[in-house]
Amino acid sequence: MQYNRRTFMGVVLVTTALVMGGTTAASAASLEEVKAKGTIVVGIQGDNAPWGFVNSSGTQDGFDADVATLFAKEIGVQVQFQPLAVANRIPALTTGKVDILFATMAMTEERAKSIQYSKPYAANTIALYAAKADKVATVEDVAGWEIGVPKSSSQDKAVTDAVGSTATVRRFDDDAATIQALISGQVKAVGGNQFYGQRLEAAAAGTYERKIDFLTTYNGVGTRLGEKDWNDAVNAFIDKIKANGELAAITKKWMGIELPQFPESIPNIPFTVN
């Protein structure tokens, strides 16, 4: 065969794609493979207290860490945490870098096209936070403002949907960067989860407050599409810790609230693999 440069590059690209595809498929472990290995790799948020964060001892901690540790115990393996930023949670799962996501995954229709959600196990209220000195009662009051959100997050969607063209939405890598943008004056307000108030108070006491609630979202455990073994195991686990009080205890420990009432279904977001 006569090879020219174009033919050679085409062969390289096809070969590379096949190798990459094979690597991705091979690295996506089944539940039984994880059990045999004895370790589950859990994707978790790395800097979003109290959901997921690294504590002063250098250990992954928080609400999701506690729930994931219980799940690892349930299936008889050790847990290994992989801290992730908001934007790389789904890619880490779909490429097999992690086995499962306990990563503050708000349940949205768009994400449900890429990952399989479990039944909900946590709730989260998305709200606007700004300086106490700024009077805000409605979305019209933030006309012309710059509002920070973590990119590709539930806050991103909620704020973007709510403000439309009234304000400018600026996107940052994660929650920590978004909070810092408000404190440093890069933005006038931020769209945050229900714990932003605590974090802002710790950073600048008496300066900021919660202004407008946009919506309440529910978090589910993320597994890969079509993987019934993982989905069945996670849903059975969630049912168990709801029934025996363990989920309520973790919720009280980290959030200071009673266990929320969770919906039996959410439109266009299946909780099970059929």
Side-chain angles (χ1 to χ4, degrees):
M1 177 184 291
Q2 183 71 32
Y3 280 86
N4 58 26
R5 177 175 174 81
R6 179 175 295 179
T7 303
F8 174 76
M9 291 304 296
V11 171
V12 169
L13 289 171
V14 170
T15 303
T16 302
L18 289 171
V19 171
M20 290 180 68
T23 300
T24 299
S27 61
S30 69
L31 178 61
E32 290 307 312
E33 288 170 336
V34 164
K35 288 181 177 180
K37 183 176 63 173
T39 303
I40 182 173
V41 181
V42 173
I44 193 167
Q45 285 212 286
D47 188 15
N48 187 15
W51 297 102
F53 63 98
V54 177
N55 63 27
S56 58
S57 299
T59 303
Q60 189 71 46
D61 208 349
F63 175 88
D64 279 329
D66 279 3
V67 178
T69 299
L70 275 183
F71 179 67
K73 181 180 178 181
E74 179 71 15
I75 64 173
V77 299
Q78 297 296 311
V79 64
Q80 175 186 325
F81 290 111
Q82 177 62 56
L84 302 170
V86 169
N88 67 358
R89 291 174 297 181
I90 290 176
L93 176 67
T94 57
T95 60
K97 183 178 181 180
V98 300
D99 297 314
I100 196 167
L101 293 174
F102 286 81
T104 326
M105 292 299 299
M107 304 170 80
T108 69
E109 289 185 40
E110 188 62 29
R111 288 175 179 167
K113 297 173 184 177
S114 302
I115 65 170
Q116 175 64 52
Y117 280 111
S118 69
K119 297 177 179 181
Y121 70 104
N124 195 7
T125 299
I126 307 302
L128 184 80
Y129 293 85
K132 290 183 177 181
D134 293 322
K135 303 304 180 184
V136 178
T138 68
V139 170
E140 286 70 27
D141 293 329
V142 302
W145 287 22
E146 290 193 335
I147 302 173
V149 295
K151 63 185 177 184
S152 304
S153 65
S154 53
Q155 295 102 291
D156 188 343
K157 177 173 173 49
V159 173
T160 300
D161 289 349
V163 305
S165 60
T166 301
T168 300
V169 178
R170 291 189 57 188
R171 295 167 177 86
F172 298 89
D173 285 341
D174 53 29
D175 293 278
T178 302
I179 289 171
Q180 184 56 40
L182 177 59
I183 294 169
S184 65
Q186 296 178 61
V187 295
K188 186 82 168 175
V190 294
N193 61 43
Q194 60 201 24
F195 300 109
Y196 268 43
Q198 298 173 17
R199 298 177 70 176
L200 286 166
E201 182 66 16
T207 304
Y208 302 100
E209 65 183 5
R210 186 162 152 177
K211 300 289 190 180
I212 305 172
D213 287 352
F214 293 122
L215 81 163
T216 296
T217 61
Y218 298 95
N219 295 352
V221 180
T223 55
R224 285 174 286 271
L225 291 173
E227 294 191 337
K228 185 173 173 59
D229 55 346
W230 281 110
N231 178 249
D232 285 350
V234 174
N235 280 334
F237 163 72
I238 290 173
D239 285 342
K240 179 179 178 179
I241 62 174
K242 283 180 182 177
N244 67 15
E246 289 180 300
L247 184 57
I250 293 172
T251 301
K252 190 72 171 180
K253 171 185 174 181
W254 289 107
M255 303 182 186
I257 60 173
E258 301 302 318
L259 189 66
Q261 290 292 319
F262 298 113
E264 292 297 320
S265 63
I266 299 176
N268 302 315
I269 303 176
F271 300 166
T272 60
V273 176
N274 296 323

